[in-house]
Every structure is written in C-alpha cells, then in structure tokens.
Amino acid sequence: GPQITRAYVHAMEQSAKEYLDGNVISCMCHPTENLYSFRETSVARASDDFYPREPASHTVHVVNVVYNSLFLGELVIPDWDMFQSEHPAAGLHAAARAVGGCSVYTSDRPDIHDFTLLKKLVLPDGTVFRAKLPGRPTRDVLFSDVATDGVSALKVWNMNNVNGVLGVFNVQGYSWDRSVRNFKEPESPPPNVIAEASPKDVEGLFSPEDKYAVWSHSEERLFVLSRPECVSLSLKPQGWDVLTVAPCQALPGILSPE
C-alpha cells in the first residue's frame, strides 16, 4: 500500500543521494503513491520507452509525454526519454525535445549519428537550449484527440528567458489500444492537418505593442502577428515545426511605420 511505497521511495532517494549525488530519473513511477512520496527526486519519466523498432510508437510517445507533463510538470521535471538521431522519426522526437523543457539525450549506436540534427539542439560546447518550463499542450487542444480525430494538430508551448516557443505536430494515426495492450494502426493512412499557430498560444507572453515576430524553423519564414492572429501551417503525417514567438517593443527615438 501507500505506506510501504513511501518507505521504498524514501530509501531509494537516500541511497541515490549518498552514492549517486542524488542523480535519479524515476521511471514507472506514475502511481500517485509514488509521485506524492518524492522528497529529493526532481526528474521523472513522462512516457513509455522510445521503441526504435516499433514504427507505430513514435507519435503516441509524443502525445503521451505532452499530456502527461500537464500533471507531472507540477510535481517534477518531466523526462521525455532518449531518442536516436539517425532514426526515421528523429526529427519528430528532436522537435518535441526542443519545446519540452526536458533533458536532451540520445541512445545512438556508436559512430551512427545525425550531427546536422543534433547541432540544431545544442551550442558548440554541448550546452542544450532547454526551455524553462515543462512543455504542455495549448489551451485549444487540451481536450482534442490529436492522435485519432483526423483533424487536430498537437501544439506545445513553452518559454525561454526572452521569447516563447511553440511546437506544432501532426501525430494523427496511431494510438494505444488498452484492450490488447499494444499500438493500434489506423484503418486508413493518416491525413495532413492544419495547425493554427498564434502568439496567444504561449501563456504569459506579452507585447506592449501587440505585435509578435513569429519565426518558422521549417519554413524559414517570418510572420508579424497581433496576439489573437493565427498563421496556418500545413503538416504532413509526422510533420512538425518549431516556432519562435518574440514580443516586439518600440525603441525610443524610432518612429513607428504607422
């Protein structure tokens, strides 16, 4: 029961503190008797594993970590697991980690790496561009079935020290079937979806001028939007984009073009 679970958790934390400098990633820990027993643990896995040989798992993985982080992010730093940089779904996973506010690490096989992809996630010294918060779904997709309704894109918001970031993903198609405890393939090919991205998707981001510069990483295109305005982005199955959302400010002595 909860009492013995709490005793085990506290013993594990004490041992990790003594022998591993407290470095722990808690896995398989989602029962509340685990989560509510943490005293020293600050990082916990938010998903099932990364399955390199299971093509149906990758969009489901991204959906799971995003929605689980909505709750877990109030208790711990959610961990979104490793991925392989040379994997066919590596771009999808890397984009998710870019907005996830989580650690970024890979399980690449020796000498098999996509350095072009990895360099987009880190500085030359290996420092990770980690966002400040747990990546969480935007308000408008909070109750959407982004995996199987055939129309919804997944949108994930976060912040860094100066800007907002917004990830958009087409994760339609595959799902987890609890009745057979396995991934379920869609009856028809996953569709393209349209992601409506807006500055208002980034909670707490404010521009006194009500103007936001929105840069699309995939399209390499800049949009200037007011807070309620949207830009429509077409996403193929397993397609993604990462948007930088920067609030604009008027500089003293600079005349407005208006």
Side-chain angles (χ1 to χ4, degrees):
Q3 290 183 336
I4 193 169
T5 298
R6 182 172 292 109
Y8 272 113
V9 170
H10 291 173
M12 177 274 295
E13 291 181 324
Q14 183 60 38
S15 178
K17 185 177 181 180
E18 183 174 351
Y19 297 107
L20 300 173
D21 294 326
N23 294 313
V24 172
I25 300 176
S26 290
C27 301
M28 302 181 71
C29 61
H30 289 188
T32 52
E33 56 264 35
N34 281 318
L35 294 172
Y36 292 166
S37 296
F38 289 156
R39 295 188 301 190
E40 304 286 345
T41 300
S42 60
V43 181
R45 179 71 52 78
S47 68
D48 203 347
D49 294 331
F50 169 78
Y51 295 111
R53 298 183 181 88
E54 181 58 76
S57 69
H58 302 292
T59 54
V60 177
H61 181 105
V62 173
V63 172
N64 288 346
V65 293
V66 172
Y67 283 90
N68 286 347
S69 292
L70 187 67
F71 170 64
L72 294 176
E74 301 301 317
L75 303 174
V76 294
I77 299 172
D79 177 79
W80 289 16
D81 203 10
M82 63 195 74
F83 68 99
Q84 293 177 342
S85 68
E86 91 296 347
H87 193 274
L92 175 73
H93 282 283
R97 305 316 188 273
V99 298
C102 52
S103 299
V104 178
Y105 51 105
T106 66
S107 55
D108 287 354
R109 292 169 289 178
D111 296 325
I112 301 178
H113 316 283
D114 184 342
F115 286 112
T116 300
L117 177 67
L118 293 173
K119 287 178 180 179
K120 295 179 181 180
L121 292 170
V122 299
L123 292 170
D125 66 356
T127 303
V128 175
F129 287 115
R130 181 181 159 198
K132 295 174 62 175
L133 306 171
R136 286 169 282 197
T138 58
R139 288 177 183 257
D140 57 333
V141 302
L142 195 55
F143 297 103
S144 298
D145 184 354
V146 297
T148 62
D149 69 7
V151 295
S152 299
L154 172 63
K155 298 193 296 182
V156 186
W157 72 274
N158 213 320
M159 297 278 290
N160 55 41
N161 286 334
V162 292
N163 301 317
V165 288
L166 182 65
V168 294
F169 305 87
N170 181 352
V171 288
Q172 290 288 335
Y174 298 102
S175 60
W176 178 259
D177 189 336
R178 296 180 65 180
S179 64
V180 297
R181 298 184 60 81
N182 206 345
F183 297 102
K184 179 180 179 181
E185 295 192 9
E187 296 179 357
S188 58
N192 293 355
V193 299
I194 301 296
E196 300 288 347
S198 170
K200 71 176 183 294
D201 290 327
V202 181
E203 303 282 342
L205 194 66
F206 174 72
S207 166
E209 311 302 321
D210 193 27
K211 290 186 182 295
Y212 299 82
V214 180
W215 173 257
S216 163
H217 173 82
S218 295
E219 296 189 7
E220 296 186 347
R221 185 179 175 189
L222 179 67
F223 306 90
V224 178
L225 306 174
S226 65
R227 183 168 178 79
E229 287 183 311
C230 297
V231 58
S232 298
L233 301 170
S234 180
L235 301 172
K236 296 178 180 179
Q238 295 196 19
W240 55 271
D241 199 353
V242 175
L243 307 173
T244 299
V245 185
C248 298
Q249 296 181 351
L251 299 178
I254 304 296
L255 296 177
S256 169
E258 299 176 356

